[in-house]
């Protein structure tokens, strides 16, 4: 009976909701700045087949398949967000246990795109952090401030 109780406890803990820190675009900017890879800060939409993202609770190991997409929108410069040309991108979902990252195709997002040998990759994690849906003007203004080297303090400075 005791073994059954332990097994049920383990199953219940796996069914609990994923606990994530609130994503912060300023912290994401600083993480991208500190990373050895090159990142681009983008504001716009990605056209891709959203049905290819992991659906529901899945155990996605290894990583889900990358999804080809086309980005349209603006890129961050020291003079603010400026229009860019259409660009091929890769949407890469990642998972934490059964929870996988998702984003809406064709919707406005603030995104951090990593330059790789395969092209620009947008990593979509289950807790966010590199993709921010429906960014506010304040978020966009914060990104410009960060790019200019002005005040750039995350909501939680311990990050």
């Amino acid at each position: 009976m005791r073994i059954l109780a332990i097994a049920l406890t383990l199953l219940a803990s796996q069914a609990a909701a994923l606990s994530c820190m609130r994503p912060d675009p300023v912290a994401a900017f600083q993480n991208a700045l500190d990373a050895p890879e090159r990142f681009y800060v983008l504001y716009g939409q990605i056209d891709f087949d959203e049905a290819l993202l992991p659906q529901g609770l899945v155990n996605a190991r290894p990583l889900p398949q990358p999804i080809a997409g086309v980005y349209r929108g603006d890129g961050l410069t020291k003079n603010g967000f400026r229009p860019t040309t259409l660009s091929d991108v890769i949407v890469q979902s990642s998972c934490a246990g059964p929870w996988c990252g998702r984003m809406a195709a064709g919707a406005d997002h603030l995104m951090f795109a990593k330059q790789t040998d395969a092209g620009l990759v947008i990593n979509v994690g289950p807790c966010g952090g590199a993709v921010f849906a429906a960014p506010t003007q304040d978020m966009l203004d914060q990104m410009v401030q960060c790019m200019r080297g002005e005040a750039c303090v995350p909501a939680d400075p311990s990050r």
Side-chain angles (χ1 to χ4, degrees):
M1 190 64 146
R2 182 176 173 168
I3 293 174
L4 178 61
I6 291 171
L8 289 174
T9 302
L10 289 174
L11 287 174
S13 67
Q14 289 178 353
L18 179 63
S19 177
C20 299
M21 292 180 66
R22 182 177 177 89
D24 179 2
V26 174
F29 184 94
Q30 290 180 339
N31 290 337
L33 190 63
D34 294 340
E37 302 89 0
R38 182 178 198 158
F39 280 83
Y40 295 93
V41 182
L42 305 174
Y43 169 56
Q45 307 85 33
I46 299 178
D47 294 320
F48 69 99
D49 187 350
E50 195 174 334
L52 295 176
L53 288 169
Q55 303 292 319
L57 296 177
V58 297
N59 187 6
R61 292 186 194 243
L63 281 175
Q65 289 295 313
I67 304 167
V70 176
Y71 171 75
R72 57 186 160 81
D74 301 332
L76 181 61
T77 71
K78 288 186 178 185
N79 295 318
F81 284 93
R82 297 291 182 248
T84 63
T85 59
L86 290 177
S87 178
D88 292 335
V89 296
I90 298 167
V91 176
Q92 179 63 68
S93 180
S94 62
C95 304
W99 297 275
C100 298
R102 299 190 54 76
M103 70 181 292
D108 283 338
H109 291 84
L110 173 65
M111 299 167 273
F112 292 81
K114 180 170 59 171
Q115 180 67 58
T116 70
D117 291 340
L120 291 178
V121 176
I122 310 292
N123 286 306
V124 186
C127 290
V131 176
F132 301 86
T136 64
Q137 187 60 49
D138 185 49
M139 283 182 189
L140 300 175
D141 292 344
Q142 285 177 323
M143 295 298 96
V144 175
Q145 284 182 291
C146 290
M147 188 67 165
R148 291 180 179 159
E150 298 171 2
C152 188
V153 179
D156 179 1
S158 67
R159 291 202 225 187

